[in-house]
Amino acid sequence: MKFITEKNISKMIIYIFIIIMSTMIFLISYFYVKNTYEDFERQMEKSVQDQYRSQKSILKKEINTIIDIINYNATKSDEDETELKADTVRLLNNITFDRDKSNYIFVYEILNMKGGDDFAKLLVNPNRPDLLGKPISTNYEDSNGKRFREEFMTEIRIFGESYTEYSYNKVYTNEARQKLSYFKYFPRWNWVIAVGVYVDDIEKEIAKNKEHLTKRVQNQVFQNILLFLLFLSMAIVISIIVSQKIDEVLKRYKKSVQLKSKALKELNETLEKRVEEEIDKNREHEQLLVQKSKFIALGEMISNIAHQWRQPLSELSTIFMFIKFKYNLGQLDEELMKKKSKEADAVLEYMSHTIDDFRNFFMPKKEKEKFSLKTAMDSIMTIISSSLSNNNINITICIDNEVVLNTYLNEFQQVILNIISNAKDVLIENNIENPWIKIDAVVDDEGRVIIYIEDNGGGIIVEPKSKIFEPYFTTKNDSDGTGIGLYMSKIIVEKSMHGKLKVREGEFGARFEIILPK
C-alpha cells in the first residue's frame, strides 16, 4: 500500500511541512533562549565589574579633589602650617556626606610609616568621634580578623595609595558591614586621607541593574518567541495555499492527458506562468538582500554610536560630579557654574554633531550629486573610527582634496563602509599584530577615479577570488558573517554607479579596487 498517493499528496505535503517547520522553530527558540540567558549572565558579570571599577574611580576623584582644595587653600592663606592644618581638619569634619551611601572623609596623621602600635593619630572621622585625636594601631583587627590598617599602610609605603576592603560599623547602625575605601598619602603633612563606601550600597545598585536587565531580557525573549510562532502560523497558511495549488495542477494535468491538443496549449501557458513566477522570485530575493543589508548597516550604526558616545558621557558625568561636590562645599559661584556649563554644552554639541553625521549617512538620496572624496571619507571615519580605535587598527587615508565624484553619495559611503568593516573583521579574526588599513585614490588618464583599499590581514584564501562577491558566501563563522556585504557592494558599484569593483592579492593582504567613471 502506497503511503503517498495522488489523492493525499497535498495533505501529506502540509503534514510534512508542519512537522519540519515546527521542529525548526522549536530548535531555534530553544537555542535563542539559551544563548540569550548566557549573554545575560555575561552582561551581569561585566556590569558588576564595571560598577566596582566606577566606584573606585569616584572615590579616587573625591580624594584628589580634597587634596586640590587643601593645596589651593595653602597657596591663598597667610596662616602658618599649624593653623592651616587646624582649619583643614575643621573643614573636613564639617563636610556633609550622603546618608544613603555613608560616604565620608577620614584622615590619619602618620606617626610611624612602618606601622605598629601608635603608628598614627585619627584626625577626622564623622563616624567615630570617640577615636578623634587618639593613637591607633596597625595590629587592630576588624570583625573578620583582618588587619586592614597594616594592609593599606603596606601599599602606601610602596605606591602612595591603596584600595582596601574591610569590615566596619556602618553609619547610623551598630552593625559591621564590608567597606571599600581609598587611601592616599599626603606627604606635605604626613597625612593619609581616605574615603569609603559600604559594599551593601554598591550591591543595591547592582541589584537594581540586574532587575532592570532581567525584565528587559524576559520581554525580549517573549517578543521573539511570539514572532517565531507568528512565522510558523504564516508558514502553515502558505503551505495550505501551496497544497491547494498542487491539487489544481494535478487536475489540469489529468485533464490534459485526455485532451492532447488542449494539453499542449495548457502546458505552454503553465511554462510561461512558471517563468514569470521565477522572475518574481528573483526580484523578491534581491529585495530581501537589500533589506537585510540595511538592517546590518543599522546594527553597525548603533554599535558605532555607542562607541562614539562613551567618552562624552564619561566627561559629562565628571562635570556633574564636580558641580555637585562644589555645591556641597558651598563653593559653587556664578563664574565656576558658567565655566562648567560651557564645558557641558561643548560635550553635548559634539554628541549632537555625531548624531547628525549618522543621520545624514543613512538618509536615502535618489539623485546623483557632486561631492569631495576626502569629505566623504571623513564622514565615514566619523562612523567607524571609534570601532577601529578600540581594536587598535590604524587607518591611513591618502586622498587629494581636489578629487571630486559625481554619483550617489550614501550608496558610495555604504560600499566603502562595507569594505572597511570586512577588513576590520578579518584583522580581528586573524589576530594580526599591528593591524592597518590603507586607502588612497588616483585619477587616471581617462578621468576615472580609482580607489584602493588595502589591509595586512593575510589575503583571501578562496579561489577564484571573485567568489567573495557571491551572495551568502562568507569565510566567517555562521554566527558572524552574512555573506551579503560584498555582494551588495558589487551590485551598487556596477549597477547603480556603472563602475567596477575588483579584488586582488596585495603585498600584505587583500587589495580592493573601486573604479568609478568621471
Side-chain angles (χ1 to χ4, degrees):
M1 183 176 179
K2 293 183 179 180
F3 184 67
I4 300 178
T5 63
E6 184 178 329
K7 293 182 179 181
N8 68 1
I9 184 171
S10 60
K11 293 182 179 179
M12 292 306 302
I13 290 175
I14 295 176
Y15 296 151
I16 294 172
F17 183 80
I18 291 175
I19 292 173
I20 293 174
M21 288 302 300
S22 299
T23 303
M24 290 177 61
I25 293 298
F26 172 78
L27 292 175
I28 292 173
S29 301
Y30 170 76
F31 286 111
Y32 171 78
V33 172
K34 181 175 179 291
N35 292 333
T36 298
Y37 279 102
E38 288 177 354
D39 290 340
F40 168 76
E41 294 298 329
R42 286 192 291 268
Q43 290 180 27
M44 277 307 307
E45 182 178 350
K46 183 177 181 300
S47 176
V48 172
Q49 295 173 356
D50 290 344
Q51 187 73 21
Y52 276 92
R53 191 181 300 113
S54 174
Q55 191 62 57
K56 287 183 177 180
S57 176
I58 292 172
L59 294 177
K60 187 172 183 178
K61 287 179 180 177
E62 290 179 352
I63 292 301
N64 288 336
T65 303
I66 289 296
I67 292 176
D68 288 343
I69 293 173
I70 294 174
N71 289 327
Y72 177 79
N73 288 338
T75 60
K76 298 295 182 180
S77 176
D78 296 331
E79 298 177 342
D80 59 22
E81 289 290 301
T82 302
E83 293 176 345
L84 191 58
K85 286 182 182 180
D87 287 342
T88 302
V89 168
R90 284 192 293 271
L91 172 65
L92 297 180
N93 271 309
N94 290 328
I95 292 179
T96 59
F97 51 88
D98 191 337
R99 181 184 179 95
D100 293 334
K101 294 185 177 180
S102 300
N103 189 338
Y104 55 87
I105 305 296
F106 51 102
V107 180
Y108 300 94
E109 182 179 8
I110 305 302
L111 305 176
N112 185 356
M113 285 295 292
K114 295 182 179 180
D117 292 334
D118 302 336
F119 86 101
K121 182 170 62 174
L122 189 63
L123 300 180
V124 178
N125 191 328
N127 189 23
R128 294 297 303 274
D130 57 308
L131 295 179
L132 294 180
K134 296 181 180 180
I136 54 178
S137 172
T138 54
N139 295 321
Y140 172 78
E141 296 180 352
D142 65 7
S143 59
N144 296 325
K146 182 177 181 179
R147 296 183 178 182
F148 68 92
R149 292 172 180 164
E150 183 176 308
E151 179 178 316
F152 77 71
M153 282 302 299
T154 300
E155 294 185 353
I156 282 178
R157 286 194 295 270
I158 299 173
F159 306 110
E161 62 180 1
S162 172
Y163 287 101
T164 304
E165 187 173 336
Y166 54 95
S167 178
Y168 207 73
N169 285 347
K170 191 172 183 180
V171 183
Y172 310 117
T173 70
N174 293 321
E175 299 179 357
R177 292 284 188 271
Q178 284 299 111
K179 184 175 185 179
L180 173 64
S181 293
Y182 173 70
F183 301 83
K184 186 166 184 177
Y185 183 56
F186 185 53
R188 177 174 177 175
W189 293 342
N190 209 29
W191 283 7
V192 170
I193 306 175
V195 65
V197 61
Y198 286 91
V199 174
D200 58 347
D201 291 326
I202 302 176
E203 294 296 334
K204 289 178 182 177
E205 293 296 326
I206 294 174
K208 291 180 181 177
N209 293 339
K210 183 175 182 180
E211 182 181 359
H212 174 72
L213 189 57
T214 300
K215 291 181 179 179
R216 191 176 70 181
V217 169
Q218 289 174 346
N219 291 335
Q220 182 180 348
V221 169
F222 177 73
Q223 291 172 2
N224 281 277
I225 290 178
L226 285 181
L227 288 176
F228 292 152
L229 294 176
L230 178 61
F231 175 76
L232 177 61
S233 301
M234 293 175 62
I236 292 174
V237 172
I238 293 173
S239 67
I240 294 174
I241 296 173
V242 171
S243 67
Q244 293 174 350
K245 293 294 182 181
I246 292 175
D247 283 338
E248 293 175 4
V249 172
L250 290 175
K251 290 177 181 179
R252 287 198 299 268
Y253 177 75
K254 186 176 181 180
K255 188 176 182 180
S256 68
V257 173
Q258 299 171 353
L259 302 172
K260 187 174 181 180
S261 59
K262 191 175 180 180
L264 291 175
K265 183 178 179 181
E266 290 180 355
L267 180 60
N268 289 333
E269 293 175 352
T270 303
L271 288 174
E272 290 177 359
K273 185 175 181 180
R274 290 175 63 184
V275 169
E276 291 176 356
E277 288 176 352
E278 288 301 321
I279 293 174
D280 291 340
K281 286 180 181 179
N282 288 334
R283 289 174 181 168
E284 292 176 0
H285 178 67
E286 186 170 340
Q287 291 175 354
L288 287 173
L289 287 177
V290 171
Q291 191 67 21
K292 190 172 184 180
S293 176
K294 290 180 179 178
F295 281 129
I296 293 172
L298 181 60
E300 293 178 350
M301 177 194 72
I302 294 173
S303 176
N304 287 321
I305 288 177
H307 285 300
Q308 291 292 92
W309 274 20
R310 184 170 289 115
Q311 181 62 28
L313 287 174
S314 177
E315 293 178 10
L316 280 177
S317 175
T318 302
I319 292 171
F320 290 144
M321 185 179 67
F322 182 83
I323 291 173
K324 179 182 178 182
F325 182 79
K326 287 293 185 179
Y327 177 79
N328 289 335
L329 293 178
Q331 298 179 356
L332 186 62
D333 55 20
E334 182 178 358
E335 182 180 353
L336 180 60
M337 189 63 190
K338 287 182 178 179
K339 178 182 177 183
K340 290 301 174 181
S341 297
K342 287 182 178 179
E343 292 178 4
D345 288 341
V347 174
L348 291 172
E349 179 66 22
Y350 171 79
M351 296 171 71
S352 176
H353 178 69
T354 301
I355 284 296
D356 289 340
D357 284 344
F358 279 93
R359 181 187 62 189
N360 292 335
F361 182 83
F362 285 91
M363 187 178 296
K365 294 182 180 178
K366 299 298 183 181
E367 297 180 356
K368 290 184 178 181
E369 57 183 296
K370 286 188 177 182
F371 58 89
S372 166
L373 178 56
K374 183 68 167 59
T375 302
M377 287 297 179
D378 291 342
S379 179
I380 294 171
M381 287 303 100
T382 299
I383 294 173
I384 201 170
S385 59
S386 293
S387 179
L388 295 175
S389 176
N390 289 342
N391 292 285
N392 298 317
I393 298 174
N394 181 45
I395 184 163
T396 304
I397 301 177
C398 300
I399 296 175
D400 196 313
N401 290 328
E402 297 179 359
V403 178
V404 176
L405 293 176
N406 183 21
T407 185
Y408 304 99
L409 174 59
N410 288 355
E411 291 188 355
F412 170 78
Q413 289 179 323
Q414 182 179 349
V415 171
I416 300 297
L417 188 61
N418 282 343
I419 296 175
I420 294 176
S421 297
N422 196 66
K424 178 198 72 175
D425 294 340
V426 170
L427 292 170
I428 295 172
E429 183 176 355
N430 294 339
N431 293 320
I432 300 299
E433 186 176 358
N434 299 321
W436 53 259
I437 299 173
K438 294 180 180 179
I439 303 176
D440 57 83
V442 298
V443 180
D444 65 6
D445 296 336
E446 300 177 12
R448 300 179 305 176
V449 176
I450 305 176
I451 304 167
Y452 301 97
I453 303 176
E454 185 178 4
D455 61 65
N456 64 335
I460 301 170
I461 60 176
V462 298
E463 290 293 338
K465 292 181 174 53
S466 59
K467 191 174 183 179
I468 65 173
F469 296 114
E470 294 179 3
Y472 296 112
F473 176 82
T474 178
T475 59
K476 304 173 187 175
N477 296 328
D478 292 340
S479 60
D480 297 329
T482 61
I484 67 172
L486 291 177
Y487 168 73
M488 290 306 304
S489 298
K490 192 171 183 66
I491 292 295
I492 291 171
V493 171
E494 298 187 355
K495 288 189 177 182
S496 296
M497 301 180 181
H498 305 292
K500 293 181 180 179
L501 175 58
K502 301 178 181 179
V503 65
R504 61 185 62 185
E505 199 70 29
E507 183 178 355
F508 303 98
R511 181 180 173 88
F512 286 85
E513 295 180 10
I514 303 173
I515 304 173
L516 298 176
K518 60 181 179 179

